[in-house]
Amino acid sequence: PEAGYYYEAWLENAGEFVSLGKLKIAKGGWMLEYNGSKYPEYKKIVISLEKVNDNKVEKKILEGSF
């Protein structure tokens, strides 16, 4: 992302979001580590572009489910 912004990962369930934290630059892409067993009812992941660290989704840029 451009200067002053960052990517953040979220789990979503029925419109409720739980932040998994900021994505980190890794060799060849981006990385995030989390313990999926902590939130078994959350089946959707969202990546957002953020500027303010306020625990709110600012701009969704990627979504997926598992």
Side-chain angles (χ1 to χ4, degrees):
E2 63 185 72
Y5 290 84
Y6 60 93
Y7 295 125
E8 187 166 354
W10 307 82
L11 289 178
E12 181 182 358
N13 183 32
E16 291 189 27
F17 292 89
V18 172
S19 174
L20 298 176
K22 296 178 182 181
L23 274 67
K24 298 175 183 151
I25 296 176
K27 187 176 182 179
W30 296 88
M31 180 178 79
L32 174 75
E33 294 182 34
Y34 78 99
N35 181 350
S37 66
K38 191 172 179 181
Y39 304 103
E41 67 278 7
Y42 288 76
K43 303 295 184 197
K44 186 174 182 182
I45 188 161
V46 174
I47 306 299
S48 65
L49 181 63
E50 302 286 326
K51 185 170 187 172
V52 179
N53 187 7
D54 59 2
N55 207 29
K56 295 179 184 176
V57 177
E58 291 180 31
K59 181 179 180 183
K60 293 181 184 180
I61 58 170
L62 184 66
E63 297 181 46
S65 58
F66 47 92

